[in-house]
Amino acid sequence: QVQLVESGGGLVQPGGSLKLSCAAAGFAFSDYWMYWVRQPPGKGLEWVSAIDHGAGKTYYADSVKGRFTISRDSAKNTVNLEMHSVKSEDTAVYYCAKENGGMALDYWGQGAQVTVSS
């Protein structure tokens, strides 16, 4: 079965850094694009970042571009999100998600809470 487990969430001060990790299992990890999606409190889902399954080309929402870095490690079956210069607006539940190969996200992790506060 497909399993995605996020870790690394927590409390971080504005301007600080945090690294999220997503451990993937149950599918051919290297064959699929991976995504990070977040949901701020009281708001809807917001796409954050994506990484392809080939050369590792990365994509970012304008709101995080230049501050966040997505990466993947095929040997460890993990996808990571390094967050730098975090802002209060980054407070959200962050979800790791798998693309189904057809531009849809078919599996999601349970989410990791990130709170940016002094």
Side-chain angles (χ1 to χ4, degrees), residues 3-35:
Q3 185 176 15
L4 300 172
V5 181
E6 299 96 337
S7 62
L11 178 66
V12 60
Q13 296 183 197
S17 299
L18 195 69
K19 181 180 179 180
L20 301 180
S21 294
C22 173
F27 65 98
F29 177 75
S30 298
D31 291 344
Y32 296 91
W33 286 50
M34 297 296 295
Y35 289 72

mmCIF file of all heavy atoms in Angstrom, residues 3-35:
data_model
loop_
_atom_site.group_PDB
_atom_site.id
_atom_site.type_symbol
_atom_site.label_atom_id
_atom_site.label_comp_id
_atom_site.label_asym_id
_atom_site.label_seq_id
_atom_site.Cartn_x
_atom_site.Cartn_y
_atom_site.Cartn_z
ATOM 1 N N GLN A 3 2.207 4.688 1.150
ATOM 2 C CA GLN A 3 2.320 5.358 2.428
ATOM 3 C C GLN A 3 3.221 6.571 2.289
ATOM 4 O O GLN A 3 4.322 6.477 1.740
ATOM 5 C CB GLN A 3 2.878 4.408 3.485
ATOM 6 C CG GLN A 3 2.921 4.994 4.882
ATOM 7 C CD GLN A 3 3.394 3.991 5.914
ATOM 8 O OE1 GLN A 3 3.942 2.943 5.577
ATOM 9 N NE2 GLN A 3 3.181 4.304 7.177
ATOM 10 N N LEU A 4 2.745 7.702 2.774
ATOM 11 C CA LEU A 4 3.507 8.939 2.792
ATOM 12 C C LEU A 4 3.447 9.486 4.208
ATOM 13 O O LEU A 4 2.366 9.728 4.731
ATOM 14 C CB LEU A 4 2.929 9.959 1.812
ATOM 15 C CG LEU A 4 2.892 9.553 0.332
ATOM 16 C CD1 LEU A 4 2.105 10.577 -0.474
ATOM 17 C CD2 LEU A 4 4.309 9.426 -0.210
ATOM 18 N N VAL A 5 4.601 9.671 4.814
ATOM 19 C CA VAL A 5 4.664 10.114 6.198
ATOM 20 C C VAL A 5 5.561 11.335 6.306
ATOM 21 O O VAL A 5 6.764 11.251 6.060
ATOM 22 C CB VAL A 5 5.180 9.005 7.130
ATOM 23 C CG1 VAL A 5 5.214 9.497 8.575
ATOM 24 C CG2 VAL A 5 4.315 7.765 7.012
ATOM 25 N N GLU A 6 4.956 12.459 6.684
ATOM 26 C CA GLU A 6 5.711 13.695 6.852
ATOM 27 C C GLU A 6 6.328 13.752 8.245
ATOM 28 O O GLU A 6 5.777 13.217 9.205
ATOM 29 C CB GLU A 6 4.815 14.921 6.654
ATOM 30 C CG GLU A 6 4.184 15.036 5.280
ATOM 31 C CD GLU A 6 2.789 14.480 5.239
ATOM 32 O OE1 GLU A 6 2.453 13.626 6.099
ATOM 33 O OE2 GLU A 6 2.016 14.892 4.358
ATOM 34 N N SER A 7 7.444 14.444 8.338
ATOM 35 C CA SER A 7 8.086 14.684 9.612
ATOM 36 C C SER A 7 8.854 15.995 9.543
ATOM 37 O O SER A 7 9.104 16.523 8.458
ATOM 38 C CB SER A 7 9.033 13.539 9.988
ATOM 39 O OG SER A 7 10.082 13.413 9.052
ATOM 40 N N GLY A 8 9.210 16.517 10.694
ATOM 41 C CA GLY A 8 10.012 17.720 10.751
ATOM 42 C C GLY A 8 9.252 18.994 11.053
ATOM 43 O O GLY A 8 9.854 20.065 11.157
ATOM 44 N N GLY A 9 7.945 18.901 11.187
ATOM 45 C CA GLY A 9 7.164 20.082 11.502
ATOM 46 C C GLY A 9 7.397 20.544 12.927
ATOM 47 O O GLY A 9 8.006 19.848 13.739
ATOM 48 N N GLY A 10 6.901 21.727 13.219
ATOM 49 C CA GLY A 10 7.050 22.266 14.556
ATOM 50 C C GLY A 10 6.980 23.771 14.565
ATOM 51 O O GLY A 10 6.520 24.400 13.617
ATOM 52 N N LEU A 11 7.442 24.340 15.661
ATOM 53 C CA LEU A 11 7.434 25.785 15.854
ATOM 54 C C LEU A 11 8.763 26.378 15.411
ATOM 55 O O LEU A 11 9.830 25.874 15.763
ATOM 56 C CB LEU A 11 7.184 26.115 17.324
ATOM 57 C CG LEU A 11 7.192 27.589 17.724
ATOM 58 C CD1 LEU A 11 6.028 28.322 17.070
ATOM 59 C CD2 LEU A 11 7.127 27.710 19.239
ATOM 60 N N VAL A 12 8.696 27.450 14.649
ATOM 61 C CA VAL A 12 9.894 28.127 14.180
ATOM 62 C C VAL A 12 9.655 29.632 14.216
ATOM 63 O O VAL A 12 8.539 30.098 13.996
ATOM 64 C CB VAL A 12 10.280 27.652 12.760
ATOM 65 C CG1 VAL A 12 9.166 27.944 11.764
ATOM 66 C CG2 VAL A 12 11.585 28.274 12.304
ATOM 67 N N GLN A 13 10.693 30.379 14.523
ATOM 68 C CA GLN A 13 10.581 31.827 14.594
ATOM 69 C C GLN A 13 10.601 32.456 13.205
ATOM 70 O O GLN A 13 11.183 31.898 12.279
ATOM 71 C CB GLN A 13 11.727 32.410 15.424
ATOM 72 C CG GLN A 13 11.732 31.986 16.875
ATOM 73 C CD GLN A 13 12.837 32.626 17.678
ATOM 74 O OE1 GLN A 13 13.171 32.175 18.752
ATOM 75 N NE2 GLN A 13 13.418 33.698 17.167
ATOM 76 N N PRO A 14 9.961 33.604 13.052
ATOM 77 C CA PRO A 14 10.039 34.302 11.764
ATOM 78 C C PRO A 14 11.485 34.530 11.364
ATOM 79 O O PRO A 14 12.316 34.912 12.184
ATOM 80 C CB PRO A 14 9.318 35.616 12.036
ATOM 81 C CG PRO A 14 8.376 35.301 13.146
ATOM 82 C CD PRO A 14 9.110 34.314 14.013
ATOM 83 N N GLY A 15 11.781 34.283 10.106
ATOM 84 C CA GLY A 15 13.140 34.414 9.613
ATOM 85 C C GLY A 15 13.982 33.173 9.785
ATOM 86 O O GLY A 15 15.095 33.101 9.236
ATOM 87 N N GLY A 16 13.469 32.210 10.504
ATOM 88 C CA GLY A 16 14.199 30.990 10.756
ATOM 89 C C GLY A 16 14.053 29.968 9.653
ATOM 90 O O GLY A 16 13.503 30.243 8.588
ATOM 91 N N SER A 17 14.552 28.774 9.937
ATOM 92 C CA SER A 17 14.558 27.701 8.951
ATOM 93 C C SER A 17 13.981 26.427 9.540
ATOM 94 O O SER A 17 14.040 26.190 10.748
ATOM 95 C CB SER A 17 15.982 27.425 8.459
ATOM 96 O OG SER A 17 16.546 28.557 7.832
ATOM 97 N N LEU A 18 13.455 25.612 8.659
ATOM 98 C CA LEU A 18 12.870 24.341 9.053
ATOM 99 C C LEU A 18 12.941 23.400 7.857
ATOM 100 O O LEU A 18 12.806 23.832 6.710
ATOM 101 C CB LEU A 18 11.420 24.531 9.486
ATOM 102 C CG LEU A 18 10.737 23.404 10.260
ATOM 103 C CD1 LEU A 18 11.345 23.275 11.645
ATOM 104 C CD2 LEU A 18 9.244 23.679 10.363
ATOM 105 N N LYS A 19 13.144 22.132 8.121
ATOM 106 C CA LYS A 19 13.190 21.139 7.058
ATOM 107 C C LYS A 19 12.126 20.079 7.282
ATOM 108 O O LYS A 19 12.087 19.447 8.336
ATOM 109 C CB LYS A 19 14.567 20.476 6.988
ATOM 110 C CG LYS A 19 14.699 19.448 5.873
ATOM 111 C CD LYS A 19 16.079 18.818 5.849
ATOM 112 C CE LYS A 19 16.198 17.766 4.759
ATOM 113 N NZ LYS A 19 17.553 17.159 4.731
ATOM 114 N N LEU A 20 11.285 19.910 6.287
ATOM 115 C CA LEU A 20 10.288 18.856 6.300
ATOM 116 C C LEU A 20 10.773 17.688 5.454
ATOM 117 O O LEU A 20 11.428 17.880 4.432
ATOM 118 C CB LEU A 20 8.955 19.356 5.742
ATOM 119 C CG LEU A 20 8.298 20.538 6.446
ATOM 120 C CD1 LEU A 20 6.994 20.891 5.745
ATOM 121 C CD2 LEU A 20 8.059 20.232 7.912
ATOM 122 N N SER A 21 10.429 16.494 5.887
ATOM 123 C CA SER A 21 10.761 15.301 5.124
ATOM 124 C C SER A 21 9.515 14.459 4.941
ATOM 125 O O SER A 21 8.606 14.482 5.769
ATOM 126 C CB SER A 21 11.841 14.482 5.839
ATOM 127 O OG SER A 21 13.069 15.183 5.884
ATOM 128 N N CYS A 22 9.478 13.729 3.853
ATOM 129 C CA CYS A 22 8.372 12.836 3.557
ATOM 130 C C CYS A 22 8.942 11.486 3.165
ATOM 131 O O CYS A 22 9.663 11.382 2.164
ATOM 132 C CB CYS A 22 7.512 13.411 2.430
ATOM 133 S SG CYS A 22 6.224 12.314 1.823
ATOM 134 N N ALA A 23 8.633 10.484 3.947
ATOM 135 C CA ALA A 23 9.071 9.127 3.659
ATOM 136 C C ALA A 23 8.000 8.422 2.838
ATOM 137 O O ALA A 23 6.846 8.359 3.250
ATOM 138 C CB ALA A 23 9.338 8.375 4.953
ATOM 139 N N ALA A 24 8.390 7.909 1.685
ATOM 140 C CA ALA A 24 7.458 7.275 0.768
ATOM 141 C C ALA A 24 7.682 5.773 0.708
ATOM 142 O O ALA A 24 8.817 5.294 0.775
ATOM 143 C CB ALA A 24 7.595 7.871 -0.630
ATOM 144 N N ALA A 25 6.590 5.042 0.573
ATOM 145 C CA ALA A 25 6.670 3.591 0.460
ATOM 146 C C ALA A 25 5.459 3.068 -0.299
ATOM 147 O O ALA A 25 4.424 3.730 -0.367
ATOM 148 C CB ALA A 25 6.747 2.950 1.845
ATOM 149 N N GLY A 26 5.590 1.875 -0.864
ATOM 150 C CA GLY A 26 4.467 1.226 -1.506
ATOM 151 C C GLY A 26 4.295 1.514 -2.989
ATOM 152 O O GLY A 26 3.308 1.088 -3.587
ATOM 153 N N PHE A 27 5.236 2.222 -3.573
ATOM 154 C CA PHE A 27 5.181 2.495 -5.010
ATOM 155 C C PHE A 27 6.581 2.782 -5.517
ATOM 156 O O PHE A 27 7.512 2.967 -4.724
ATOM 157 C CB PHE A 27 4.226 3.654 -5.320
ATOM 158 C CG PHE A 27 4.664 4.984 -4.772
ATOM 159 C CD1 PHE A 27 5.320 5.911 -5.578
ATOM 160 C CD2 PHE A 27 4.422 5.325 -3.452
ATOM 161 C CE1 PHE A 27 5.719 7.137 -5.080
ATOM 162 C CE2 PHE A 27 4.818 6.548 -2.934
ATOM 163 C CZ PHE A 27 5.465 7.454 -3.757
ATOM 164 N N ALA A 28 6.719 2.807 -6.835
ATOM 165 C CA ALA A 28 8.009 3.097 -7.453
ATOM 166 C C ALA A 28 8.276 4.591 -7.343
ATOM 167 O O ALA A 28 7.920 5.368 -8.230
ATOM 168 C CB ALA A 28 8.025 2.638 -8.904
ATOM 169 N N PHE A 29 8.899 4.966 -6.259
ATOM 170 C CA PHE A 29 9.088 6.369 -5.917
ATOM 171 C C PHE A 29 9.702 7.181 -7.053
ATOM 172 O O PHE A 29 9.259 8.301 -7.331
ATOM 173 C CB PHE A 29 9.963 6.457 -4.664
ATOM 174 C CG PHE A 29 10.298 7.853 -4.239
ATOM 175 C CD1 PHE A 29 9.355 8.651 -3.621
ATOM 176 C CD2 PHE A 29 11.571 8.362 -4.450
ATOM 177 C CE1 PHE A 29 9.669 9.940 -3.228
ATOM 178 C CE2 PHE A 29 11.903 9.642 -4.060
ATOM 179 C CZ PHE A 29 10.939 10.435 -3.443
ATOM 180 N N SER A 30 10.698 6.640 -7.697
ATOM 181 C CA SER A 30 11.425 7.375 -8.723
ATOM 182 C C SER A 30 10.630 7.592 -10.008
ATOM 183 O O SER A 30 11.075 8.335 -10.881
ATOM 184 C CB SER A 30 12.735 6.661 -9.064
ATOM 185 O OG SER A 30 13.591 6.595 -7.944
ATOM 186 N N ASP A 31 9.459 6.977 -10.133
ATOM 187 C CA ASP A 31 8.656 7.083 -11.345
ATOM 188 C C ASP A 31 7.592 8.171 -11.288
ATOM 189 O O ASP A 31 6.869 8.367 -12.264
ATOM 190 C CB ASP A 31 7.958 5.751 -11.646
ATOM 191 C CG ASP A 31 8.939 4.674 -12.076
ATOM 192 O OD1 ASP A 31 10.082 5.003 -12.428
ATOM 193 O OD2 ASP A 31 8.539 3.494 -12.058
ATOM 194 N N TYR A 32 7.489 8.870 -10.171
ATOM 195 C CA TYR A 32 6.398 9.821 -9.996
ATOM 196 C C TYR A 32 6.875 11.184 -9.518
ATOM 197 O O TYR A 32 7.801 11.301 -8.721
ATOM 198 C CB TYR A 32 5.372 9.275 -8.994
ATOM 199 C CG TYR A 32 4.693 8.023 -9.469
ATOM 200 C CD1 TYR A 32 5.218 6.769 -9.146
ATOM 201 C CD2 TYR A 32 3.542 8.090 -10.237
ATOM 202 C CE1 TYR A 32 4.600 5.616 -9.599
ATOM 203 C CE2 TYR A 32 2.927 6.940 -10.688
ATOM 204 C CZ TYR A 32 3.461 5.708 -10.362
ATOM 205 O OH TYR A 32 2.846 4.563 -10.807
ATOM 206 N N TRP A 33 6.196 12.195 -10.025
ATOM 207 C CA TRP A 33 6.381 13.537 -9.486
ATOM 208 C C TRP A 33 5.904 13.544 -8.043
ATOM 209 O O TRP A 33 4.940 12.860 -7.683
ATOM 210 C CB TRP A 33 5.561 14.556 -10.273
ATOM 211 C CG TRP A 33 6.080 14.905 -11.629
ATOM 212 C CD1 TRP A 33 6.460 14.056 -12.623
ATOM 213 C CD2 TRP A 33 6.224 16.231 -12.151
ATOM 214 N NE1 TRP A 33 6.846 14.762 -13.732
ATOM 215 C CE2 TRP A 33 6.710 16.107 -13.468
ATOM 216 C CE3 TRP A 33 5.985 17.507 -11.633
ATOM 217 C CZ2 TRP A 33 6.965 17.215 -14.280
ATOM 218 C CZ3 TRP A 33 6.238 18.612 -12.436
ATOM 219 C CH2 TRP A 33 6.717 18.456 -13.738
ATOM 220 N N MET A 34 6.522 14.388 -7.219
ATOM 221 C CA MET A 34 6.109 14.551 -5.839
ATOM 222 C C MET A 34 5.813 16.023 -5.569
ATOM 223 O O MET A 34 6.441 16.905 -6.160
ATOM 224 C CB MET A 34 7.175 14.038 -4.873
ATOM 225 C CG MET A 34 7.452 12.545 -4.985
ATOM 226 S SD MET A 34 6.015 11.510 -4.557
ATOM 227 C CE MET A 34 5.819 11.906 -2.818
ATOM 228 N N TYR A 35 4.870 16.249 -4.664
ATOM 229 C CA TYR A 35 4.388 17.594 -4.385
ATOM 230 C C TYR A 35 4.365 17.899 -2.896
ATOM 231 O O TYR A 35 4.228 17.002 -2.058
ATOM 232 C CB TYR A 35 2.955 17.765 -4.902
ATOM 233 C CG TYR A 35 2.813 17.821 -6.399
ATOM 234 C CD1 TYR A 35 2.985 16.690 -7.181
ATOM 235 C CD2 TYR A 35 2.473 19.021 -7.023
ATOM 236 C CE1 TYR A 35 2.845 16.747 -8.559
ATOM 237 C CE2 TYR A 35 2.324 19.085 -8.392
ATOM 238 C CZ TYR A 35 2.508 17.946 -9.155
ATOM 239 O OH TYR A 35 2.360 18.013 -10.514
#
